[in-house]
Amino acid sequence: MGLRYLWIDSLCIIQDDAIDWQIESSNMARIYEKSYVTISANNSTGMLLGPSAIRRSHSVQLEATDLYGEPKAIIIRSPLDHEKFFASSLEGVGLDGSEWEHDYPLSKRAWCFQERLLATRILHFTEEEVVFECKTHCECECGSIVHRKYGTPLKNLYSGITREAFTPTGLVTTAWDGWKVVVSPYIQKDITNPLDILPALAGLASRVQSDELGQYVAGLWGNELALGLFWFADIVSSRKPPIKTAPSFSWASLAGTSKVKELQWQWWSPDNKAKQAYRIVEIHCPVAGLNPYGTVSDGFVRVHGYVLAIKLKNEQVRLPFNSVVSSKTYEQRAVAFMDRNPITEMTTERDFVCIFGFTWSQDSDSSEKAKQKVSALILERVGTDVYQRVGCLPFLDNDPTWERDAEEKDITII
Ligand SMILES: [Zn+2]
């Protein structure tokens, strides 16, 4: 290719030098975006297996003659599973929930997620074929994969969130919508060191940052924080003891506590006539090192809203579990999405409150009869008016008694 320089992250970043690591990891976006081509060893499970080592499928050439007796060469090799390759480029598109399976280890690693999104051109080395991917084009050796004009869904997603190109899917309408579809698949990836959860997304965050989104707040955005706090996750398993990777109000805290199957956000649109029942008063979320989008060790948000002391009783041992939420005069059955296992801890007499977030009508026609819903965060008290998030109740029936029973005040979520 006539290229003079090769950049390899594990060699070009001094791995045991914290300062060099912080500086270089904040340069990731520039490196991947400005590189001529990025070489991707899709089947590689670690740094010791390069592309040449994993291309196992060698072709065999046979000599033959055609109908006219002319000598011809026939090249035979095992084919690439094109469906599988396509599946590895679908993540993050937020499609209808259908299962797309692939077993490319590289696409399952958190660090490699932004590298694929940011890279201008990629040569994917699979066992069978080399596949070329850029922002607007993807093509394999045999010609079975050809995505012209828009490229693969994954690259297209990046173009969409950075407003570089028109999004044919129409799924991404605002920068915040784009950020959510990026973060949801990202938190499901494997990460060796959970403390890398924010640094491994820092390159992307630095590119997505805009006046529209505002200040970066541990994986969320200041101007969208009221909505941003209302995430809820399907948890597969939890770690013990948990590692603090971010303040509890951020989805990034899940990396240190839980293996996530799906991460969603409270859905808001002008159609469902959502009304915000609380407001953000103060945001304090400094980064721990030199990377402005890197690790956040401590931080808090101060919010003003309706706070209700509750008891949680789980009815079924599964996640997300059905729970009875009750206070003095208020009781209802609801689906609780807890941020970590085991849920048995939740049945003890711990000091829980919920703070109410948004009311909206479940049916988009928003008629009189449409069912009114309200969402709430489940918080555990850790100090005077200081709480940490432990879960989310996204779909409570909007029984207005909560407004009467709750105390309207400022609280801090750490
Ligand atoms: Zn092919």
Side-chain angles (χ1 to χ4, degrees):
M1 292 182 191
L3 302 175
R4 191 167 167 194
Y5 297 104
L6 178 65
W7 187 88
I8 301 173
D9 53 1
S10 57
L11 296 180
C12 300
I13 301 174
I14 304 169
Q15 297 290 310
D16 52 3
D17 182 327
I19 301 295
D20 190 61
W21 193 86
Q22 284 167 25
I23 293 168
E24 292 301 323
S25 63
S26 69
N27 276 333
M28 283 290 192
R30 197 172 53 82
I31 288 162
Y32 282 93
E33 281 178 346
K34 304 284 182 193
S35 81
Y36 183 81
V37 66
T38 297
I39 295 169
S40 169
N42 293 38
N43 288 307
S44 173
T45 51
M47 68 173 108
L48 297 176
L49 277 176
S52 63
I54 59 160
R55 180 147 188 182
R56 288 211 294 260
S57 165
H58 295 288
S59 54
V60 175
Q61 190 167 322
L62 298 179
E63 301 300 328
T65 50
D66 67 10
L67 289 172
Y68 308 101
E70 293 290 322
K72 292 275 159 144
I74 301 174
I75 297 170
I76 303 172
R77 62 168 172 77
S78 58
L80 171 70
D81 183 341
H82 296 92
E83 287 283 316
K84 192 176 90 174
F85 183 85
F86 192 66
S88 79
S89 66
L90 267 180
E91 291 163 301
V93 188
L95 293 175
D96 51 8
S98 53
E99 294 279 321
W100 286 85
E101 287 294 330
H102 71 83
D103 52 9
Y104 291 116
L106 199 72
S107 299
K108 293 184 173 169
R109 287 173 50 197
W111 269 107
C112 302
F113 183 74
Q114 68 168 7
E115 293 166 3
R116 185 164 181 186
L117 287 180
L118 292 165
T120 310
R121 302 180 193 87
I122 306 171
L123 281 177
H124 295 279
F125 282 76
T126 71
E127 282 183 26
E128 298 87 9
E129 292 185 27
V130 177
V131 183
F132 171 81
E133 182 183 26
C134 70
K135 286 178 182 171
T136 56
H137 198 103
C138 185
E139 196 161 340
C140 72
E141 280 182 59
C142 78
S144 294
I145 295 176
V146 185
H147 296 295
R148 292 210 170 93
K149 196 166 181 184
Y150 299 125
T152 57
L154 197 63
K155 296 294 278 178
N156 184 251
L157 170 73
Y158 179 63
S159 303
I161 58 173
T162 54
R163 308 295 174 80
E164 284 183 10
F166 166 71
T167 55
T169 56
L171 288 166
V172 175
T173 52
T174 66
W176 168 241
D177 284 336
W179 184 248
K180 284 188 292 186
V181 285
V182 164
V183 168
S184 298
Y186 173 68
I187 189 66
Q188 297 171 41
K189 305 281 175 196
D190 303 330
I191 191 149
T192 312
N193 180 3
L195 289 170
D196 287 351
I197 192 73
L198 289 170
L201 197 64
L204 206 59
S206 70
R207 281 297 174 268
V208 171
Q209 201 282 327
S210 64
D211 291 346
E212 183 185 339
L213 290 169
Q215 175 194 354
Y216 192 58
V217 187
L220 296 167
W221 296 97
N223 291 350
E224 300 286 359
L225 201 59
L227 284 163
L229 295 182
F230 277 78
W231 50 267
F232 52 100
D234 245 342
I235 304 300
V236 182
S237 61
S238 289
R239 168 197 303 268
K240 232 177 184 179
I243 298 163
K244 194 181 178 197
T245 53
S248 71
F249 60 77
S250 166
W251 57 268
S253 64
L254 291 171
T257 65
S258 301
K259 178 82 187 145
V260 181
K261 191 171 150 211
E262 195 175 7
L263 176 67
Q264 298 178 67
W265 260 270
Q266 174 73 55
W267 189 67
W268 189 92
S269 86
D271 294 342
N272 62 18
K273 301 244 180 343
K275 279 200 210 89
Q276 193 175 321
Y278 85 114
R279 63 187 161 81
I280 308 279
V281 178
E282 188 185 350
I283 303 168
H284 180 78
C285 206
V287 291
L290 298 170
N291 183 346
Y293 300 92
T295 308
V296 176
S297 53
D298 290 301
F300 65 83
V301 289
R302 198 153 173 79
V303 299
H304 179 90
Y306 293 93
V307 180
L308 181 69
I310 55 163
K311 293 264 181 280
L312 281 175
K313 285 177 273 182
N314 64 306
E315 295 199 311
Q316 281 171 287
V317 183
R318 69 180 178 82
L319 284 169
F321 66 96
N322 284 315
S323 169
V324 175
V325 182
S326 64
S327 71
K328 277 185 205 129
T329 58
Y330 171 92
E331 176 160 311
Q332 72 161 284
R333 192 162 280 111
V335 179
F337 289 78
M338 303 311 287
D339 300 344
R340 60 182 290 243
N341 279 336
I343 56 170
T344 47
E345 285 180 17
M346 298 304 156
T347 62
T348 61
E349 299 293 300
R350 284 159 68 187
D351 215 353
F352 294 120
V353 299
C354 64
I355 184 161
F356 294 89
F358 294 86
T359 59
W360 81 100
S361 52
Q362 197 170 33
D363 304 313
S364 56
D365 65 5
S366 69
S367 64
E368 289 283 313
K369 277 183 280 177
K371 219 170 189 184
Q372 288 288 310
K373 292 280 180 185
V374 63
S375 54
L377 295 180
I378 308 170
L379 308 172
E380 183 182 6
R381 201 169 78 88
V382 291
T384 308
D385 287 337
V386 180
Y387 296 86
Q388 65 180 1
R389 190 198 134 118
V390 290
C392 186
L393 293 156
F395 313 112
L396 286 169
D397 289 335
N398 190 16
D399 173 350
T401 52
W402 62 258
E403 220 164 317
R404 194 190 59 211
D405 288 356
E407 192 183 345
E408 191 182 350
K409 62 175 179 178
D410 283 6
I411 60 164
T412 299
I413 309 173
I414 57 170

